[in-house]
């Protein structure tokens, strides 16, 4: 179960009423890689295979599905075996925000080469669809929501961590044969460097959010050739880089 009921007191207009409220149930998920790299993170026990694939790609541990030898999931414990050639490089990040609190400078950014375009009206419509498809958020208000769009497919994942939610949708796209260079990710949450770098490593050209970018995220999108769209709400948004990928009617 992803939702739990707890006791609460609802206070409004000087009146306190005992009530039962629904909250999202998060777990401490443990991801072990090649038997000796272990990460624990708070997440919803859902779509853990998609999360694992997305995490491995977004943390620069693998470059293709062929680099992943095995993923075993036992409840909240995940064991993955990968080709460890990238683990020996300096560009692998083993402790990003997905695993709790990474804030160090990202030194290497490979630009995303894509001429993919999307209409600004579609982005505005998708942010509304994102909320409409966020069932746990609608019930509890306790999740971040991410979606990936490829052709006529729009897949939404939720999690208590915005990083894990994005890992899940990118992992879903990889597992289901999406051409990520012709896809975009839309999600709820800020856009600092350690979020935006996930897009560059996965090769996704457009990231849109209802929240604001941080300067560190803006610097990464310039290096990574990403189009960043922020404050996507109502009838407005800001486009911060590579405006050629956004079509205006």
């Amino acid at each position: 179960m992803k939702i739990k009921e707890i006791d609460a007191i609802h206070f409004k207009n000087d009146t306190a009423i005992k009530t039962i409220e629904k909250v999202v149930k998060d777990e401490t998920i443990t991801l072990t890689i090649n038997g000796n790299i272990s990460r624990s993170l708070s997440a919803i026990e859902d779509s853990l295979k998609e999360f694992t694939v997305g995490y491995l790609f977004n943390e620069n541990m693998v470059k293709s599905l062929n680099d992943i030898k095995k993923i075993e999931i036992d409840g909240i414990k995940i064991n993955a075996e990968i080709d460890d050639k990238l683990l020996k490089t300096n560009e692998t990040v083993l402790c990003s925000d997905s695993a709790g609190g990474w804030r160090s400078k990202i030194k290497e950014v490979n630009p995303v080469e894509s001429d993919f375009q999307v209409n600004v009206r579609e982005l505005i419509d998708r942010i509304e669809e994102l909320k409409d498809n966020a069932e746990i958020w609608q019930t509890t208000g306790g999740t971040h929501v991410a979606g990936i769009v490829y052709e006529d497919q729009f897949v939404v994942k939720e999690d208590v961590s915005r990083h894990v939610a994005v890992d899940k949708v990118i992992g879903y796209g990889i597992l289901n044969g999406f051409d990520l260079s012709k896809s975009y990710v839309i999600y709820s949450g800020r856009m600092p460097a350690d979020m935006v770098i996930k897009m560059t490593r996965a090769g996704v050209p457009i990231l849109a959010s209802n929240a604001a970018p941080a300067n560190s995220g803006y610097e990464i999108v310039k290096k990574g050739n990403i189009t960043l769209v922020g404050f996507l709400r109502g009838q407005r948004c800001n486009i911060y880089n590579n405006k050629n990928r956004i079509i205006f009617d």
Side-chain angles (χ1 to χ4, degrees):
M1 293 292 292
K2 305 180 187 71
I3 296 173
K4 182 179 179 180
E5 292 185 344
I6 61 173
D7 295 330
I9 294 178
H10 180 69
F11 184 79
K12 183 178 181 182
N13 296 331
D14 295 326
T15 301
I17 303 173
K18 290 184 178 180
T19 183
I20 301 295
E21 294 297 325
K22 294 180 179 180
V23 297
V24 62
K25 186 178 179 182
D26 50 337
E27 303 278 2
T28 299
I29 305 295
T30 301
L31 170 62
T32 302
I33 302 166
N34 287 8
N36 57 12
I37 300 172
S38 184
R39 296 289 177 255
S40 294
L41 57 145
S42 181
I44 297 174
E45 189 182 345
D46 177 67
S47 303
L48 294 184
K49 183 176 182 180
E50 289 87 347
F51 157 69
T52 304
V53 171
Y55 181 89
L56 293 172
F57 273 82
N58 296 339
E59 298 304 314
N60 207 33
M61 295 182 184
V62 301
K63 292 295 187 183
S64 75
L65 284 174
N66 291 332
D67 293 332
I68 303 175
K69 299 177 181 179
K70 181 171 62 176
I71 295 175
E72 294 179 339
I73 299 171
D74 181 10
I76 57 176
K77 295 182 179 180
I78 309 168
N79 287 292
E81 290 186 13
I82 65 173
D83 185 329
D84 66 357
K85 60 179 178 294
L86 287 176
L87 298 180
K88 297 180 174 66
T89 74
N90 293 328
E91 307 311 327
T92 298
V93 177
L94 297 181
C95 194
S96 83
D97 236 19
S98 294
W102 175 70
R103 287 289 184 270
S104 63
K105 185 178 180 181
I106 298 165
K107 297 178 180 179
E108 184 69 24
V109 180
N110 295 320
V112 174
E113 301 299 333
S114 173
D115 58 2
F116 175 70
Q117 293 181 303
V118 64
N119 193 292
V120 68
R121 290 299 319 171
E122 179 178 332
L123 291 177
I124 291 170
D125 291 342
R126 290 299 190 189
I127 198 69
E128 295 302 318
E129 289 185 58
L130 193 73
K131 293 186 292 184
D132 292 342
N133 284 279
E135 296 178 1
I136 303 174
W137 176 81
Q138 289 182 32
T139 303
T140 69
T143 61
H144 288 281
V145 192
I148 188 168
V149 181
Y150 173 58
E151 295 180 342
D152 61 348
Q153 300 182 69
F154 182 33
V155 177
V156 174
K157 300 289 182 181
E158 300 179 69
D159 208 276
V160 293
S161 163
R162 67 184 189 273
H163 286 262
V164 174
V166 169
D167 287 336
K168 286 179 177 179
V169 294
I170 289 178
Y172 180 96
I174 292 168
L175 285 168
N176 289 276
F178 287 18
D179 183 345
L180 297 186
S181 70
K182 300 183 184 302
S183 304
Y184 65 88
V185 167
I186 189 165
Y187 90 114
S188 61
R190 296 184 306 108
M191 297 177 283
D194 46 9
M195 175 59 73
V196 178
I197 192 63
K198 293 176 182 292
M199 303 300 109
T200 66
R201 287 172 174 161
V204 178
I206 300 172
L207 173 63
S209 173
N210 62 351
N215 181 63
S216 62
Y218 178 67
E219 292 300 319
I220 292 296
V221 299
K222 289 195 295 183
K223 295 177 182 178
N225 200 33
I226 299 292
T227 299
L228 195 65
V229 182
F231 292 108
L232 187 60
R233 59 185 71 165
Q235 300 299 311
R236 69 185 180 94
C237 63
N238 294 342
I239 301 165
Y240 295 95
N241 194 54
N242 284 350
K243 301 174 181 65
N244 57 296
R245 291 198 182 107
I246 308 300
I247 301 170
F248 299 92
D249 291 332

